[in-house]
Amino acid sequence: PDVVFFGENVPPERAKACYALVESASSLVVLGSSLTVMSGLRYVRHAAKVAMPVVIVNQGPTRGDAYAAATLDAPLGQLLTDLVAALP
């Protein structure tokens, strides 16, 4: 499968494409990740480095909290369900 398993390295071209996506965004939102592994945390750190707002929604603290403009400690399933229900 075309996936990266825990403990494996993200292929360099895929990492480069992810950095490009971050750089083209106006903000970065992290949903339901503790950012324990560097493969996700590096994009949060990069966004913060280029002064991009980062918002993290997760139950409990994450390794990226220090880089975030805002964090929300909430169960993601219920939060997203409520958000969709509130849409017009």
Side-chain angles (χ1 to χ4, degrees), residues 1 4-6 8 10 12-13 21-25 35 39-41 49 51 54 60 63 68 70 80:
V4 177
F5 291 104
F6 185 79
E8 294 181 339
V10 175
E13 286 304 312
L21 284 170
V22 169
E23 290 174 3
S24 69
L35 299 168
S39 58
L41 180 61
K49 182 179 176 183
V54 175
R63 282 180 64 197
L80 293 178

Side-chain angles (χ1 to χ4, degrees), residues 19 22 27-28 41-54 67:
Y19 279 117
V22 169
S27 61
L28 178 64
L41 180 61
R42 67 174 136 189
Y43 304 112
V44 171
R45 289 171 44 172
H46 182 70
K49 182 179 176 183
V50 297
M52 178 183 295
V54 175
Y67 303 98

Side-chain angles (χ1 to χ4, degrees), residues 12-88:
E13 286 304 312
R14 189 172 305 161
K16 183 179 177 182
C18 290
Y19 279 117
L21 284 170
V22 169
E23 290 174 3
S24 69
S26 59
S27 61
L28 178 64
V29 178
V30 177
L31 300 173
S33 174
S34 63
L35 299 168
T36 299
V37 295
M38 185 55 73
S39 58
L41 180 61
R42 67 174 136 189
Y43 304 112
V44 171
R45 289 171 44 172
H46 182 70
K49 182 179 176 183
V50 297
M52 178 183 295
V54 175
V55 175
I56 300 174
V57 181
N58 190 60
Q59 279 191 276
T62 78
R63 282 180 64 197
D65 289 355
Y67 303 98
T71 61
L72 179 59
D73 189 336
L76 189 58
Q78 188 61 53
L79 179 77
L80 293 178
T81 299
D82 293 346
L83 180 62
V84 168
L87 292 174

